[in-house]
Amino acid sequence: MNRQTVDHAALADRFNEDEPRVNWHDETLWWVRAKRDRMAWSIPEWEQLRETASRIKLNALGNLHDYLLQFEARARENGAIVHWAADAAEHNHIVTAILQRHGIKHMVKSKSMLTEECHLNPHLAAHGIEVIDTDLGERIVQLAKEPPSHIVLPCIHKKKEEIGALFHEHLGTPAGNADPQFLTAAARQHLRKEFLQAKAAITGVNFAVAETGEMVVCTNEGNADMGAHLADVHIACMGIEKIIPQRRHLGVFLRLLARSATGQPITTYSSHFRRPRAGQELHIVLVDNGRSRQLGREDFRNSLKCIRCGACMNTCPVYRRSGGHSYHTAVAGPIGAILAPNLDMKDYADLPFASTLCGSCSNVCPVKIDIHQQLYKWRQVLVKEGYTAPAKTASMKVMNSVLSAPGAYKVAGKMGRWVMRAFPGMVNNRFNPWYKQREMPAPPMQSFSEWYKKNKDIHE
C-alpha cells in the first residue's frame, strides 16, 4: 500500500468513525493484556525466562549462518526438501512451482504471517490455485476479503453479528444467528471437508531447531496438524530468524509464547514436524525477504528476536484505538512499525510515528526487544533519509533548536502559556490533531522550573 495515498493517521480516522467498535476493540485487547499479566506474575522465574529467551535469540542471530546450514543438513537427513528464497517473489515462485508440479489446484493453509507478508494467497489465486485458510480467524477475514488485523487474533476487529452475517452468506448458516458456539461448529463442519479433499497443506513455523532439523508449529485449533497430516504435500514456510540452536531451548519459548499471546499456560497444540510420513513430501522454504538487511542494522537487529506473540499489540494504546488495518502492513502494531520500514522506508515511513513511545510494548515483550527505542531510532533515520513530510521535518528542526537552548525554551514556554490563555482558539481548532479527539488541558500559570525555584527551599 503506497503511503502517498494512505497512511496510518488517515486509516485510524476511518476506524475511529465507529466509536463503539473502537471502545470494544480497546477493552477486549486490554482484557487479553490483563490475562497475560496474571500468567506472568504467577511464575516467579518470569523475568529469568525472558532474559534467557533473549540471550538464546541473540546467540542464534549472531551465528545465523551456521545454524541455518546445520538446520538444512539435519532437515535433509530427515527426508525434507529444503528451499532458499531471497525475497517474497522467490518464495511465491517456489511454492507455486511445487503445487503446479503436483497438479494441485486446491489446498489448505494454517496461519502464517510470512505468507501474508509475501502476499502468497493472491499470487496463488492468479495462477489458478485456490487457498483455504483453516485458522478460524483467518478464514473469517478471508471470507470478508480482508487481511488479518492482528497476528494472533486475526479477526479481533469483527463483532460476532458480522461473523454471523458472513457465515450466512458463505456457509449457509441461518440468518441472524450470531452464537459463537454455533458459528464455531459450522466452521468446523465446513473446514473438515476442506481438510479431507486437500492434497497439499501450507503451515507456518514458530520455531526451527538447528540441532535436529525439526519444526514446531503452535496452534489452539489443531488445524495445522489436520492439514499437514492428511495432505500428500506439506510446505512449511519460515523466516530465517525462526531458528533456535537446540531442542532443549524450546521449553523456554513455549512457556513464554502462549502466556504472552493469550494468557494461556501453553498453546493447545505444539506440534513437532521432523520427517515426512511414508509417501508424503515435506518441503521447507527458508525466506530472507529483508531479514539479512535488518540483521546488518545494529540499531534494529533486536527486532528479529520477535516470536510473533502479539503482546505488544495488546498493550499498545495506539494500536488498540486505531485498529490493525491502520498499519497497512502484514504485521501491525509496534513490532510491525519497526519491521515494515526495513522492507520499504518510503511506503512505511508513517508507522514509527504511530506511537506514544510509552515503552509498554518493550515492557511486555517476552524476548526483551527494545521496541519503543527502535521506533524512536527509526524516526531519526526516516527524517535523515528524507522520508518524512517537509512540514514535519521543519517543525522537528525548530523543536530541536528550542529544546537545545534553555533560554529559548523558557521564552517559548512563557509565550505558549500566554497564547493558550489569551487566545485558546489558536490551539483548540481542527488543524491541531490532538484537539480532534480530546480537550486540551488548561495552561499552567507557571512552568515546573519556576515552581521548583519558588518551592525548593520549603521542601529541603
Side-chain angles (χ1 to χ4, degrees), residues 201-239:
I202 291 179
T203 69
V205 174
N206 290 92
F207 307 103
V209 184
E211 178 185 42
T212 61
E214 71 188 290
M215 304 163 297
V216 178
V217 182
C218 303
T219 70
N220 278 326
E221 300 169 22
N223 56 308
D225 303 77
M226 288 284 288
H229 291 315
L230 292 172
D232 296 331
V233 179
H234 174 193
I235 306 172
C237 304
M238 60 170 276

Side-chain angles (χ1 to χ4, degrees), residues 79-262:
I81 302 168
V82 181
H83 309 262
W84 297 82
D87 52 27
E90 190 170 4
H91 164 267
N92 293 346
H93 173 76
I94 290 169
V95 173
T96 304
I98 295 169
L99 297 172
Q100 288 177 335
R101 187 163 61 250
H102 289 273
I104 292 169
K105 296 291 184 181
H106 181 90
M107 56 158 297
V108 294
K109 178 167 73 70
S110 64
K111 187 188 297 176
S112 164
M113 294 313 299
L114 175 66
T115 61
E116 294 288 342
E117 174 189 322
C118 296
H119 304 290
L120 177 64
N121 282 20
H123 177 85
L124 291 177
H127 288 78
I129 302 171
E130 182 184 19
V131 180
I132 301 295
D133 280 303
T134 59
D135 174 89
L136 179 55
E138 292 272 355
R139 185 58 178 153
I140 289 167
V141 294
Q142 185 180 39
L143 293 174
K145 295 181 172 56
E146 296 176 0
S149 68
H150 190 289
I151 57 177
V152 176
L153 311 165
C155 67
I156 189 63
H157 60 290
K158 291 283 187 191
K159 295 185 176 180
K160 61 183 181 180
E161 291 78 12
E162 295 169 316
I163 297 170
L166 272 174
F167 279 26
H168 171 65
E169 178 184 354
H170 296 280
L171 307 186
T173 58
N177 193 323
D179 177 63
Q181 189 171 354
F182 175 82
L183 296 177
T184 302
R188 183 180 292 113
Q189 291 299 318
H190 158 66
L191 291 172
R192 184 62 54 93
K193 171 174 60 71
E194 302 295 345
F195 286 126
L196 293 172
Q197 292 177 349
K199 299 298 182 184
I202 291 179
T203 69
V205 174
N206 290 92
F207 307 103
V209 184
E211 178 185 42
T212 61
E214 71 188 290
M215 304 163 297
V216 178
V217 182
C218 303
T219 70
N220 278 326
E221 300 169 22
N223 56 308
D225 303 77
M226 288 284 288
H229 291 315
L230 292 172
D232 296 331
V233 179
H234 174 193
I235 306 172
C237 304
M238 60 170 276
I240 56 175
E241 81 282 9
K242 296 297 178 117
I243 286 285
I244 61 173
Q246 298 177 351
R247 202 170 198 260
R248 65 189 179 95
H249 295 147
L250 279 171
V252 174
F253 293 99
L254 292 178
R255 295 185 73 193
L256 288 166
L257 178 60
R259 286 179 168 88
S260 299
T262 55

